[in-house]
Amino acid sequence: MKELENNAFFWQKLDTLMFSSDCTIDRPKGSTHFKYSNLVYPVDYGFLSDTTAGSDQNPIDLFKGSIPTHIVDAIAVSADILKKDCEVKLLVGCTEEEILDILRFLNQTEFQKAILIRRGDETPIWSTND
């Protein structure tokens, strides 16, 4: 079961989405949230413009750190009781400090909490057998 939980093929699919999509940064590092001016983005924030994240048809969100890469380092999964939803956000090119800043940003209100899932590298046994 472990090889199916956080395997390399999942991350490969996310990397493919990054490489094959246009990244739009609409909230640069240091800008404030459009609704809540006390929330300041710790890194660039944007979306993959030609993707959809779920049934609401909004694009996939991402935090873009200071490392120049298109490789997805981790994902943050947030639960928001005001919006009554869960969202997944890609973390791309983030340093450890930036990852911590993003987690603080996503967890600073009582209405939203987030967890981090770091990139895994397990390969399912069926992928290595002939």
Side-chain angles (χ1 to χ4, degrees):
M1 179 66 166
K2 182 172 174 29
E3 72 272 5
L4 297 176
E5 291 177 2
N6 192 7
N7 77 58
F9 295 122
F10 171 78
W11 297 96
Q12 178 190 50
K13 301 304 178 242
L14 291 180
D15 291 342
T16 300
L17 284 172
M18 280 297 303
F19 282 112
S20 64
S21 301
D22 293 324
C23 178
T24 300
I25 300 299
D26 59 349
R27 298 173 198 159
K29 178 181 178 176
S31 63
T32 58
H33 189 277
F34 69 97
K35 262 188 179 176
Y36 308 105
S37 60
N38 61 316
L39 301 179
V40 178
Y41 287 90
V43 297
D44 290 343
Y45 182 78
F47 57 91
L48 298 178
S49 58
D50 52 348
T51 63
T52 54
S55 60
D56 62 5
Q57 299 302 303
N58 287 330
I60 297 171
D61 295 326
L62 69 121
F63 288 98
K64 186 82 169 83
S66 60
I67 301 169
T69 184
H70 290 340
I71 303 298
V72 179
D73 304 308
I75 58 175
V77 181
S78 63
D80 189 319
I81 60 172
L82 291 180
K83 291 179 8 184
K84 292 187 175 183
D85 76 355
C86 287
E87 292 184 7
V88 174
K89 298 169 188 319
L90 308 181
L91 280 69
V92 179
C94 296
T95 65
E96 281 301 311
E97 184 178 343
E98 289 170 334
I99 289 171
L100 287 174
D101 289 343
I102 291 165
L103 283 174
R104 285 187 200 103
F105 175 80
L106 292 172
N107 283 288
Q108 65 185 301
T109 74
E110 63 185 284
F111 305 109
Q112 176 179 284
K113 296 300 174 193
I115 62 166
L116 181 75
I117 302 173
R118 292 184 182 273
R119 187 181 190 104
D121 61 2
E122 295 290 328
T123 306
I125 192 72
W126 52 261
S127 70
T128 56
N129 290 345
D130 288 336

